[in-house]
Amino acid sequence: MNKFNLKYFISKFQNLYYKIKGIPSFKKYPYTSKKGKHIIHISAFSHSNTGDLYLPVILRNLFNDFIPVKKWTNRHVFKVVTSKNVNSFNKADLIVIGGGGLFLKDTNPNDLSGWQWSCSIDMLKSIKTPIVAFAIGYNRFRGQEEFSPIFKEHINLFVEKSIFIGIRNHGSIEKIKPYLKNDHLKNKLTFQPCMTTLTSLIYPHLCDYNKKENFIAINCAFDRQSLRKNDDNILRSIARVALKLSKIAQIKFYSHVFNDEKILPFFDEIGVKYELVRLKTIEDTVKEYAKPKLVIGMRGHAQMIPFGCNTPILSIISHDKMKWFLDDIHHPEWGVDVLNPNFETQLYETAYFIYQNTSNIISQIQEEQQNLYQITKENILKIKSLIS
């Protein structure tokens, strides 16, 4: 038995074991088929933000459920694409880019594309392998400066060359359309929700909605704080709401990165009793977000992951993407904007209502999650037909 077949049969055994035990292969990208596809996966592989760490893994597990894959090859979205890379890309069967809010200019500033993928126009033109963009979003913050001129040229070519353009919310679709030069390209933009919103369906044994614990988890975000408008007044409002809620439930603070903890001195100042939970691994993130009766979150992943775990959510909206997601799941009432003049009152009253109606909210989540899964299934089967 050669080395390749040995890998194949070991991975098949691992998959069977994971399935029986209900354990997701978080840190493995198994060979699912000896005759499957070789996929180049371009993503923002991250080890600092647990939400971003989760994205490429769940994407691969999702694809493995529908498309026979013999090999996944990592390629960080930040790395500059060279002629040598293009030659390697063109030997693969498919290139998948995603997920995440990749349409953002300042996370990886470059003059090659104007967004996070460091691929020049010339290199993009040289790629012959089919390209799929999957669950990527327009992540520009409110008031953030416009993309550089190269972005418009690049995104038009990118959309034209790609066989499938999956955008993670309808808000992003509407923001991207004005950059595209004709209706043909605009019509290629397809709604593809983030895979994290489907967590309970991809890893069902980790998300038992009957086992919610009597606590409320809170998360805040501080990247580009001035653009988020979460100034000291907003932070003190969140702290006062946490103090009120602590009278009816235990409070835990979920930290994705150390910077998230900048709100804790505001909790300490007024005596909020809380438990700090640092989410360091994918396992931590999924298991922890499956536990609470309510998550109040400012990060996108503190919204989508708990939703995916059948956990009620209340979004603190400091970025339009939070609102766009709530609109897509037909529950805009599960969010409170930091610009709302009655922010503090509405945050508390909405949190209290959701907490007191957990079972009903979970049923609504499951209904919307099934809708998102059906959309995803249809999209992946379409991709499968295009590369068969």
Side-chain angles (χ1 to χ4, degrees):
M1 182 180 293
N2 63 37
K3 184 178 180 182
F4 176 83
N5 285 335
L6 179 61
K7 279 187 176 182
Y8 168 70
F9 284 108
I10 288 175
S11 68
K12 295 296 282 187
F13 175 78
Q14 287 175 331
N15 284 342
L16 178 62
Y17 175 79
Y18 292 143
K19 187 173 183 179
I20 292 172
K21 293 293 186 179
I23 303 172
S25 51
F26 282 129
K27 297 181 180 178
K28 308 264 184 201
Y29 306 129
Y31 296 84
T32 59
S33 174
K34 186 166 57 173
K35 297 181 180 179
K37 304 294 184 182
H38 174 202
I39 301 180
I40 304 288
H41 187 191
I42 299 171
S43 188
F45 299 98
S46 170
H47 296 284
S48 58
N49 182 325
T50 55
D52 288 337
L53 181 65
Y54 185 29
L55 282 176
V57 176
I58 191 170
L59 182 149
R60 295 184 185 197
N61 280 272
L62 176 63
F63 268 65
N64 286 345
D65 286 343
F66 292 93
I67 297 175
V69 180
K70 70 178 178 182
K71 182 180 181 182
W72 288 96
T73 298
N74 292 0
R75 176 74 189 181
H76 201 290
V77 71
F78 292 178
K79 290 187 177 180
V80 176
V81 176
T82 65
S83 296
K84 182 178 179 180
N85 300 140
V86 171
N87 290 335
S88 176
F89 292 172
N90 287 339
K91 294 176 183 177
D93 299 299
L94 182 65
I95 297 169
V96 175
I97 301 178
L102 299 182
F103 292 127
L104 184 63
K105 68 174 295 182
D106 62 349
T107 299
N108 179 37
N110 70 83
D111 296 324
L112 300 174
S113 68
W115 55 290
Q116 292 193 49
W117 190 25
S118 298
C119 179
S120 69
I121 296 288
D122 288 341
M123 291 299 102
L124 182 55
K125 288 179 179 178
S126 301
I127 296 174
K128 307 302 180 185
T129 298
I131 298 172
V132 164
F134 201 82
I136 61 178
Y138 179 95
N139 227 38
R140 187 175 163 210
F141 284 70
R142 296 165 169 174
Q144 191 168 23
E145 62 182 323
E146 181 57 87
F147 288 95
S148 59
I150 190 64
F151 175 74
K152 185 172 183 178
E153 182 181 359
H154 196 281
I155 195 171
N156 274 273
L157 180 61
F158 178 67
V159 173
E160 182 179 338
K161 284 186 64 75
S162 298
I163 63 169
F164 180 84
I165 296 287
I167 306 299
R168 68 181 179 181
N169 48 58
H170 285 94
S172 286
I173 290 175
E174 293 307 311
K175 287 292 186 179
I176 294 168
K177 279 182 179 180
Y179 295 99
L180 301 179
K181 61 186 178 182
N182 57 48
D183 289 341
H184 168 69
L185 297 180
K186 294 175 183 179
N187 291 334
K188 288 185 71 173
L189 303 180
T190 304
F191 175 45
Q192 172 51 58
C194 181
M195 301 70 61
T196 60
T197 66
L198 308 175
T199 295
S200 73
L201 301 176
I202 298 173
Y203 311 121
H205 296 282
L206 291 180
C207 303
D208 188 343
Y209 66 90
N210 289 312
K211 293 184 178 179
K212 296 300 180 190
E213 299 178 15
N214 189 31
F215 72 91
I216 296 171
I218 299 175
N219 167 268
C220 284
F222 289 90
D223 54 312
R224 304 167 187 82
Q225 186 175 359
S226 63
L227 296 176
R228 288 184 177 275
K229 306 296 183 185
N230 55 338
D231 57 21
D232 286 1
N233 290 331
I234 291 296
L235 299 178
R236 287 194 175 94
S237 289
I238 295 171
R240 287 192 290 266
V241 169
L243 183 62
K244 287 183 181 179
L245 293 174
S246 69
K247 309 301 181 183
I248 61 171
Q250 181 185 4
I251 302 297
K252 295 187 181 183
F253 185 82
Y254 281 7
S255 174
H256 287 229
V257 295
F258 183 73
N259 203 38
D260 290 359
E261 298 167 27
K262 288 174 66 174
I263 195 175
L264 296 182
F266 293 88
F267 282 26
D268 296 335
E269 183 180 43
I270 61 173
V272 178
K273 294 182 180 180
Y274 62 90
E275 177 185 340
L276 172 60
V277 179
R278 292 188 172 123
L279 306 176
K280 297 180 180 179
T281 67
I282 299 172
E283 289 93 335
D284 288 341
T285 303
V286 174
K287 290 178 181 178
E288 288 298 333
Y289 274 124
K291 293 178 182 178
K293 291 182 69 175
L294 170 63
V295 172
I296 302 173
M298 189 181 291
R299 282 189 172 277
H301 290 135
Q303 174 192 56
M304 293 184 290
I305 297 176
F307 173 90
C309 295
N310 295 322
T311 297
I313 59 171
L314 174 55
S315 299
I316 298 174
I317 300 172
S318 62
H319 189 297
D320 288 335
K321 66 182 179 182
M322 307 293 282
K323 177 182 181 300
W324 295 338
F325 173 70
L326 296 178
D327 289 342
D328 284 339
I329 61 169
H330 310 105
H331 286 285
E333 73 277 11
W334 294 349
V336 182
D337 201 307
V338 295
L339 301 179
N340 187 320
N342 298 314
F343 171 76
E344 184 175 331
T345 299
Q346 189 171 348
L347 186 69
Y348 172 73
E349 291 179 353
T350 307
Y352 184 86
F353 175 82
I354 293 175
Y355 181 80
Q356 297 293 345
N357 292 275
T358 301
S359 297
N360 184 45
I361 300 294
I362 288 175
S363 296
Q364 295 174 54
I365 289 173
Q366 291 174 319
E367 180 181 356
E368 293 296 335
Q369 195 177 82
Q370 286 293 335
N371 294 335
L372 298 182
Y373 184 76
Q374 186 60 36
I375 291 168
T376 298
K377 181 179 178 180
E378 291 173 3
N379 286 341
I380 293 187
L381 291 178
K382 178 181 179 181
I383 293 169
K384 183 179 181 180
S385 70
L386 292 171
I387 62 174
S388 295

